[in-house]
Every structure is written in structure tokens, then in C-alpha cells.
């Protein structure tokens, strides 16, 4: 099944810096290798220090990577504050 993973989190940098990092060719290549597509990156209208990202890919792929504590430095390199992230998962 295809899984849509939604991450809602705080930022340690600006939204523009975060979006630039996520859109970089090397980031997109990494996601492509996992079979994951980023199809939405947005900033909260009411809190510019909070963002949401939606990914689609094979079931459990992104979730398992994100939940692995060893990936925390990679996640936080983008400006994503790992602690407090709300993760929801949807199947299609």
C-alpha cells in the first residue's frame, strides 16, 4: 500500500531555509532512492516557526526512518526540531 506520512513540527531556522534544504537535489535524490516523494511543504499561517511536510511512499519506509533515533541529526540538519514532532500516517 501507499502511505502518506504527515509531519507537523517546529523549526530551528526560517521556513525558507528549511524549504531550500528539503528541495535541494541531494535531498530529493535521497528520497527518490527510498521511493518517497515530498508533495507538500507548508508553514503555519499563525506560527512561522512551525511547518508541515507530507510525504508519500511505500508503507512504513519514511516512518521507520524518522522513528530511528540514529537519524535525528540528519532530520535536524534541515532545521526540523525532532522532539515534539507529530506524525500521522494515512494509507491508500
Amino acid at each position: 500500500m501507499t502511505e502518506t506520512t504527515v509531519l507537523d513540527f517546529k523549526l530551528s531556522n526560517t521556513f525558507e531555509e528549511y524549504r531550500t534544504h528539503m528541495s535541494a537535489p541531494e535531498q530529493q535524490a535521497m528520497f527518490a532512492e527510498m521511493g518517497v516523494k515530498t508533495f507538500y511543504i507548508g508553514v503555519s499561517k499563525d506560527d512561522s516557526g512551525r511547518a508541515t511536510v507530507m510525504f508519500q511512499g511505500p508503507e512504513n519506509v519514511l516512518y521507520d526512518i524518522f522513528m530511528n533515533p540514529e537519524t535525528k541529526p540528519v532530520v535536524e540538519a534541515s532545521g526540523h526540531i525532532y522532539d515534539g514532532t507529530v506524525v500521522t500516517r494515512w494509507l491508500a
Side-chain angles (χ1 to χ4, degrees), residues 25 38 40 43 56 82-83:
T38 306
Y40 178 82
V43 63
Q56 267 190 341
Y82 189 88
D83 295 329

Side-chain angles (χ1 to χ4, degrees), residues 28-87:
Q28 291 304 307
M30 179 187 74
F31 291 133
E33 285 179 25
M34 296 186 298
V36 173
K37 294 179 185 176
T38 306
F39 70 92
Y40 178 82
I41 300 175
V43 63
S44 170
K45 185 175 180 178
D46 300 321
D47 180 356
S48 63
R50 190 171 136 218
T52 295
V53 180
M54 296 179 182
F55 298 95
Q56 267 190 341
E59 190 174 354
N60 297 320
V61 169
L62 190 71
Y63 182 80
D64 289 348
I65 290 169
F66 186 79
M67 297 310 289
N68 181 345
E70 292 179 13
T71 64
K72 184 177 178 177
V74 175
V75 171
E76 290 191 329
S78 68
H80 178 143
I81 297 175
Y82 189 88
D83 295 329
T85 298
V86 176
V87 180

